[in-house]
Amino acid sequence: MTPPPSLINIYKELKRDLNIDPPSHGCLQSWAEQGVLLLNTSLTVEANKAASHSKQGWQQFTDKIIEIVNNDCEHVVFILWGSHAQSKRNLIDPKKHLILCSAHPSPLSAHRGFFGCGHFSKANYFLEKHAITPINWQLPNT
């Protein structure tokens, strides 16, 4: 399956930041197995209608997930891409965790600060600084 446009831009930033060649697929299972949780503020959407389900009650659910991770975990990297994600910043304790913010990787906004953000290397630096195994961002080309 061909990766969606936002994921293609994530792969481009991975190449720029860590010189990781992009895979030809969109399977992020190896990231999940390392503890990477990718969470949108809305978990469903109508095809080709960005934010079409943003008022369907997902915020209560996603806010609770962020609250639990914030309270129960130490030294988590929260990467907030786009204004919807950045609206969750007040739920995160910056004394306990690293918060990285940039534009969304969507083709419509990636040029406004996503490209060049260096979030992958910054995340790993923070994890290593706290004696946590860094993320292997290289995805297997299956």
Side-chain angles (χ1 to χ4, degrees):
M1 178 165 120
T2 303
S6 292
L7 186 54
I8 290 171
N9 283 343
I10 290 170
Y11 291 166
K12 287 177 183 177
E13 178 58 17
L14 266 172
K15 177 68 174 174
R16 191 213 59 79
D17 187 19
L18 296 173
N19 199 30
I20 292 176
D21 290 325
S24 58
H25 59 79
C27 179
L28 307 179
Q29 181 176 340
S30 69
W31 292 358
E33 291 169 350
Q34 297 175 78
V36 175
L37 171 65
L38 300 174
L39 181 67
N40 285 325
T41 54
S42 294
L43 302 184
T44 60
V45 67
E46 287 182 52
N48 304 312
K49 294 184 181 178
S52 58
H53 289 179
S54 63
K55 300 196 184 341
Q56 299 293 320
W58 284 119
Q59 285 196 341
Q60 294 169 320
F61 181 74
T62 56
D63 286 0
K64 189 65 174 177
I65 291 170
I66 294 167
E67 177 187 325
I68 290 168
V69 172
N70 178 65
N71 292 337
D72 295 353
C73 301
E74 295 290 328
H75 310 301
V76 172
V77 179
F78 288 86
I79 301 176
L80 309 178
W81 290 333
S83 59
H84 289 282
Q86 290 168 30
S87 73
K88 306 298 182 181
R89 187 180 193 138
N90 64 326
L91 302 174
I92 305 164
D93 182 351
K95 295 180 196 126
K96 274 175 74 172
H97 308 294
L98 176 62
I99 303 170
L100 301 172
C101 297
S102 80
H104 193 277
S106 160
L108 300 174
S109 58
H111 64 280
R112 293 189 204 128
F114 174 75
F115 290 131
C117 68
H119 284 174
F120 303 104
S121 59
K122 290 174 183 176
N124 278 353
Y125 177 78
F126 176 84
L127 294 171
E128 289 173 327
K129 189 170 97 177
H130 293 283
I132 300 169
T133 303
I135 302 300
N136 176 4
W137 296 108
Q138 178 71 58
L139 293 165
N141 210 350
T142 55

